[in-house]
Amino acid sequence: MTTTPDAPAVLRTAYQKSVAEYWNNEKDPVNLRLGDVDGLYHHHYGLGDYDPAVLEGPTATRDARVIAELHRLESAQADVLLDHLGPLTPGHRLLDAGCGRGGTSIMANARFGCRVDGISISRAQVDFANTQARKRGVDGQVRYHFRNMLDTGLPTGAFQAIWNNESTMYVDLHELFAEHARQLAFGGRYTVITGCSNDVTGGRSKAVSRIDEHYTCNIHPRSHYFKAMAANGLVPINVVDLTPAAIPYWELRAQSSLATGVEDPFLTAYKEGSFHYLLIAADRV
């Protein structure tokens, strides 16, 4: 049976403690009400065009239509990430690093039949996610752990695929990719979807700084991902600019009852080119 480390071993710095506290207390409807649609609770954004019909029709049901459509776009984003995990069989083991409330892990298990471990420094997220896995009857294959993704304590070379879905902005990339490289089997696949600042624009824009402030995070420049991967034996095989496909989600969310005020910085940063929404898939060599 896997034991859970005590809090001091997981939360190593004052910053990590503050991030964990933020997510332990977070009950934002933009995460919870979308997850209530079908029980898949995500902590990432959406991809693809939205159906403009959700903004039309009876006013009384408009909010429910918009929420369902936002959730559809979020799940579509998770599907894009899963598309890039490489060839997988049910005997493989997967790791969802920074799993949030666990939606992507459950989708991965349903698609591939693999055992999936999710890790988060938020005890509240881990407990919530494990409850969802039990409700779905997949807790024998999908398990969430209170762990630090920079030092998980999980076995070396045990995972065929590892991913971060919008969680790398909370950690040092060199530390993260060194740990991922340790855990991946040779030839295994690492995939990340993340927002990153554009090095070409010459520094962090005001809009990107507002996103950092909103989420208590530290968005990395695009180049840092490739430098840290190269230093840790992770060789990119696919790089996809998802920025154009991300904009419709934010445009719809800005028109919803769930808008939090961060929609404008995202739209500004994407459209001015100071911020990119990127997918990178890399093989462990």
Side-chain angles (χ1 to χ4, degrees):
M1 181 176 178
T2 302
T3 57
T4 302
D6 294 330
V10 174
L11 305 176
R12 305 190 311 186
T13 66
Y15 173 68
Q16 289 176 358
K17 291 175 184 176
S18 70
V19 171
E21 183 179 12
Y22 174 88
W23 289 112
N24 283 334
N25 295 321
E26 182 270 335
K27 294 180 175 61
D28 196 327
V30 80
N31 292 319
L32 293 173
R33 288 189 64 191
L34 270 62
D36 288 344
V37 171
D38 62 4
L40 288 172
Y41 292 85
H42 298 303
H43 278 275
H44 58 255
Y45 309 124
L47 286 177
D49 292 329
Y50 66 84
D51 181 357
V54 301
L55 298 172
E56 304 164 0
T59 303
T61 57
R62 179 184 187 272
D63 199 42
R65 293 193 304 273
V66 171
I67 286 170
E69 184 68 352
L70 287 170
H71 182 65
R72 183 186 70 81
L73 298 176
E74 284 189 333
S75 291
Q77 187 265 23
D79 273 326
V80 168
L81 187 149
L82 298 179
D83 289 343
H84 287 81
L85 292 184
L88 295 171
T89 65
H92 287 136
R93 189 175 177 185
L94 314 180
L95 178 62
D96 183 353
C99 61
R101 288 186 171 96
T104 307
S105 296
I106 288 183
M107 290 176 65
N109 170 256
R111 184 192 288 201
F112 303 115
C114 298
R115 174 181 172 183
V116 186
D117 293 279
I119 53 175
S120 172
I121 61 171
S122 165
R123 280 192 181 275
Q125 287 185 342
V126 168
D127 291 344
F128 185 98
N130 278 321
T131 297
Q132 297 306 309
R134 284 193 295 272
K135 286 181 177 179
R136 288 177 173 266
V138 297
D139 50 311
Q141 281 213 299
V142 182
R143 297 177 182 174
Y144 302 94
H145 314 274
F146 176 57
R147 305 232 175 171
N148 190 318
M149 62 183 167
L150 299 181
D151 182 17
T152 68
L154 294 171
T156 297
F159 296 91
Q160 183 63 25
I162 299 175
W163 68 86
N164 285 97
N165 199 354
E166 295 185 14
S167 54
T168 51
M169 60 286 298
Y170 291 101
V171 295
D172 178 87
L173 294 180
H174 282 273
E175 289 186 70
L176 178 67
F177 294 160
E179 179 68 347
H180 285 346
R182 180 189 70 79
Q183 295 169 111
L184 275 171
F186 180 80
R189 176 69 54 82
Y190 171 65
T191 302
V192 57
I193 293 182
T194 187
C196 51
S197 59
N198 183 0
D199 305 83
V200 176
T201 58
R204 190 178 304 271
S205 70
K206 182 177 180 180
V208 170
S209 296
R210 287 178 63 192
I211 296 169
D212 269 346
E213 183 179 359
H214 183 90
Y215 291 111
T216 319
C217 64
N218 181 30
I219 291 166
H220 301 292
R222 180 180 52 182
S223 63
H224 287 197
Y225 283 88
F226 298 99
K227 291 175 182 176
M229 285 182 180
N232 289 287
L234 298 172
V235 179
I237 187 169
N238 282 305
V239 180
V240 186
D241 181 6
L242 299 171
T243 307
I247 290 174
Y249 167 88
W250 289 101
E251 291 177 334
L252 180 60
R253 183 167 144 175
Q255 301 175 72
S256 77
S257 65
L258 303 180
T260 62
V262 78
E263 293 78 14
D264 182 62
F266 269 94
L267 287 168
T268 298
Y270 282 146
K271 291 178 179 180
E272 73 185 7
S274 66
F275 191 53
H276 293 148
Y277 198 51
L278 208 64
L279 179 148
I280 307 170
D283 288 340
R284 171 70 171 100
V285 298

